[in-house]
Amino acid sequence: MRRRVLGLAVAVVTVAAAAGCGSSSSSTGSSPSGGGKTTQVTVGIIPIVDVAPLYLGQKQGSFSKRGIDLKMELAQGGAAIVPGVVSDQFQFGFSNVTSLMIAQTKGVPIKSVVNGTASTGDTGKDISGVAVKKDSSIKSAKDLVGKKVAVNTLQNIGDTTVREVVRKDGGDPSKVKFVEMPFDQMPAALEGGQVDAAWMGEPALTIAKGQGARVIASPFAETDPKLTIATYFTSTKLLQENPDLVKKFTEAMTESLKYASEHPDEARQTLTTYTKIDGEVLKNLTLPTWPTQYDMASLEKLASLGEEDGIFGGKKPDLDALFS
């Protein structure tokens, strides 16, 4: 999610032309379900808090008991994961929903298959927030007008939701100056005065707060308290050719989301297995919620805001086709 999804259709063609980057494969072996065959499934992800249920589900056997040999492969962001899924390098991928909407309006053949993560709905403690230095004159969202605000990707879910909270607070969102910057660089950039404010996800937000930063807005929760943020998706090709595999993955992921929601301490501890998060940051960071269903009303709102921002190139995403 750190790179733009501009020129995504071209990227897809390039990756697809490479052929042989990887594909799903079946190998003989015994599975707990007694099916006799195990299917290797690669999921393209970025190593963030949101995907903890995937790792927890692997540990709990949600995938193996359905004959899925799960492998996670790290990517830089949606701009790499989406074409990787379309070319069958990954059978499934994880991406924020705005990136998926952008891809669909560019004609990329993908479909979301199961929910990924959602806002906590708590404006005082959400998984993302706009932070400023302790002594900053910025007190609320409308004060961001004319200021330099860092987001991890331009023209995506971050600046779209930040604009919405500025608008709600009575400011002119068109006058906010957004700059692109990786989350892990934001705490230092804010502390050093390179930006006036930064829209951060976890654990960058907790790190910044530990350095004295103040959170003046929670764009996800304020845009919609039930905001669906990211989902797992596949290619329409795999969905047509191997619907049974998609069904098994969806069932396993749904079970994993439920388990993570019911065992937050285990989910938090799982972060230490695939990230460098530990100590006080691990203890204090905010976990997302992991509902098993999308919130379509929140997706419709996000799509409308994206249209208003012009990030879909004049086209309207077909949410029923992408998420139903």
Side-chain angles (χ1 to χ4, degrees), residues 1-6 102 149-160 163 177-181 311:
M1 287 182 248
R2 292 180 180 172
R3 293 184 180 176
R4 306 182 191 185
V5 193
L6 298 176
I102 292 172
V149 181
V151 292
N152 70 319
T153 306
L154 294 172
Q155 293 291 85
N156 210 282
I157 194 170
D159 49 15
T160 291
R163 286 190 183 96
K177 302 173 184 177
F178 291 102
V179 295
E180 190 171 274
M181 181 182 297
I311 66 175

Side-chain angles (χ1 to χ4, degrees), residues 198-305:
W199 172 74
M200 304 184 199
E202 291 288 17
L205 186 60
T206 293
I207 292 171
K209 286 161 65 177
Q211 296 172 349
R214 290 185 292 110
V215 176
I216 56 96
S218 298
F220 285 164
E222 291 179 52
T223 294
D224 192 304
K226 295 182 179 180
L227 188 68
T228 294
I229 298 167
T231 68
Y232 293 88
F233 68 99
T234 191
S235 65
T236 55
K237 178 175 178 285
L238 183 65
L239 189 61
Q240 292 165 359
E241 295 181 352
N242 200 340
D244 186 56
L245 177 61
V246 175
K247 181 175 181 288
K248 288 178 179 178
F249 177 84
T250 301
E251 290 174 348
M253 197 63 240
T254 298
E255 186 175 287
S256 301
L257 292 168
K258 287 180 180 178
Y259 189 88
S261 296
E262 294 167 358
H263 302 82
D265 290 342
E266 284 186 53
R268 187 180 297 274
Q269 194 58 38
T270 297
L271 300 177
T272 63
T273 66
Y274 67 94
T275 74
K276 295 180 180 179
I277 302 171
D278 57 17
E280 286 300 303
V281 174
L282 178 67
K283 177 183 175 182
N284 295 324
L285 65 79
T286 300
L287 294 176
T289 61
W290 290 297
T292 59
Q293 301 294 323
Y294 314 130
D295 185 90
M296 288 302 295
S298 74
L299 291 171
E300 289 166 1
K301 186 168 189 178
L302 201 55
S304 295
L305 292 174

Side-chain angles (χ1 to χ4, degrees), residues 1-322:
M1 287 182 248
R2 292 180 180 172
R3 293 184 180 176
R4 306 182 191 185
V5 193
L6 298 176
L8 186 54
V10 176
V12 169
V13 172
T14 302
V15 175
C21 289
S23 61
S24 60
S25 60
S26 294
S27 57
T28 302
S30 59
S31 66
S33 59
K37 284 189 176 181
T38 299
T39 303
Q40 183 176 313
V41 169
T42 302
V43 185
I45 62 166
I46 51 178
I48 55 176
V49 173
D50 308 51
V51 298
L54 185 67
Y55 284 87
L56 198 53
Q58 182 187 45
K59 179 183 177 182
Q60 293 298 318
S62 298
F63 295 91
S64 60
K65 73 182 181 183
R66 291 177 171 85
I68 293 176
D69 178 13
L70 192 66
K71 176 185 176 185
M72 276 74 89
E73 191 165 320
L74 304 184
Q76 291 295 324
I81 294 173
V82 172
V85 167
V86 173
S87 69
D88 206 26
Q89 178 185 358
F90 313 133
Q91 284 68 62
F92 299 91
F94 178 87
S95 176
N96 81 67
V97 294
T98 296
S99 290
L100 295 181
M101 292 179 197
I102 292 172
Q104 191 206 47
T105 59
K106 290 178 179 291
V108 181
I110 55 173
K111 184 175 178 62
S112 178
V113 295
V114 64
N115 198 27
T117 185
S119 167
T120 66
D122 185 347
T123 56
K125 193 173 185 182
D126 201 11
I127 58 171
S128 81
V130 178
V132 299
K133 290 183 70 172
K134 185 177 181 179
D135 59 356
S136 172
S137 62
I138 299 172
K139 304 301 181 185
S140 69
K142 65 182 178 182
D143 297 332
L144 296 174
V145 172
K147 300 297 194 295
K148 187 183 292 186
V149 181
V151 292
N152 70 319
T153 306
L154 294 172
Q155 293 291 85
N156 210 282
I157 194 170
D159 49 15
T160 291
T161 52
V162 171
R163 286 190 183 96
E164 174 65 357
V165 295
V166 171
R167 186 182 295 112
K168 281 186 171 182
D169 199 36
D172 183 350
S174 68
K175 294 182 179 178
V176 179
K177 302 173 184 177
F178 291 102
V179 295
E180 190 171 274
M181 181 182 297
F183 281 137
D184 59 5
Q185 294 179 19
M186 290 184 189
L190 185 64
E191 181 68 19
Q194 294 171 248
V195 293
D196 300 304
W199 172 74
M200 304 184 199
E202 291 288 17
L205 186 60
T206 293
I207 292 171
K209 286 161 65 177
Q211 296 172 349
R214 290 185 292 110
V215 176
I216 56 96
S218 298
F220 285 164
E222 291 179 52
T223 294
D224 192 304
K226 295 182 179 180
L227 188 68
T228 294
I229 298 167
T231 68
Y232 293 88
F233 68 99
T234 191
S235 65
T236 55
K237 178 175 178 285
L238 183 65
L239 189 61
Q240 292 165 359
E241 295 181 352
N242 200 340
D244 186 56
L245 177 61
V246 175
K247 181 175 181 288
K248 288 178 179 178
F249 177 84
T250 301
E251 290 174 348
M253 197 63 240
T254 298
E255 186 175 287
S256 301
L257 292 168
K258 287 180 180 178
Y259 189 88
S261 296
E262 294 167 358
H263 302 82
D265 290 342
E266 284 186 53
R268 187 180 297 274
Q269 194 58 38
T270 297
L271 300 177
T272 63
T273 66
Y274 67 94
T275 74
K276 295 180 180 179
I277 302 171
D278 57 17
E280 286 300 303
V281 174
L282 178 67
K283 177 183 175 182
N284 295 324
L285 65 79
T286 300
L287 294 176
T289 61
W290 290 297
T292 59
Q293 301 294 323
Y294 314 130
D295 185 90
M296 288 302 295
S298 74
L299 291 171
E300 289 166 1
K301 186 168 189 178
L302 201 55
S304 295
L305 292 174
E307 285 182 72
E308 189 173 342
D309 289 343
I311 66 175
F312 301 131
K315 296 183 180 180
K316 187 175 182 178
D318 185 343
L319 300 186
D320 288 336
L322 184 57

